[in-house]
Amino acid sequence: MRLRVEFTTEPFDLDEAPAHALAARAVIEAADLDAVDVGPFGNTVEGGADVVLAAVDALLRESLGAGATRISLQVNVLGEGA
């Protein structure tokens, strides 16, 4: 199964990327995902379910540990396949 996850971490800081956003970015960039789109107000990743779910687990743990007070996630099933 393939998944797409859209996520944001808060609180926002428009002047510089907060530590929790940098932690989330590091997790996503280290994962073996098929597609990654990182932006200032939202991020999207795609890949096989096992890889995406492992990345989401790490993202939650690392972002919360780095000071995130809210993380919003939306998970969509794209279909079958690796």
Side-chain angles (χ1 to χ4, degrees):
M1 174 184 336
R2 290 186 48 75
L3 300 176
R4 175 186 298 128
V5 174
E6 298 174 50
F7 70 93
T8 58
T9 62
E10 297 178 39
F12 294 112
D13 183 340
L14 296 178
D15 293 327
E16 66 180 76
H20 58 80
L22 296 175
R25 182 178 296 169
V27 166
I28 293 307
E29 289 176 347
D32 188 24
L33 297 159
D34 298 337
V36 175
D37 182 16
V38 177
F41 300 109
N43 309 282
T44 305
V45 300
E46 291 182 17
D50 289 340
V51 174
V52 170
L53 294 174
V56 167
D57 176 64
L59 179 143
L60 292 171
R61 293 175 189 277
E62 295 296 322
S63 296
L64 291 169
T69 57
R70 178 181 172 131
I71 301 170
S72 301
L73 289 169
Q74 179 174 318
V75 180
N76 293 294
V77 176
L78 300 178
E80 296 300 317

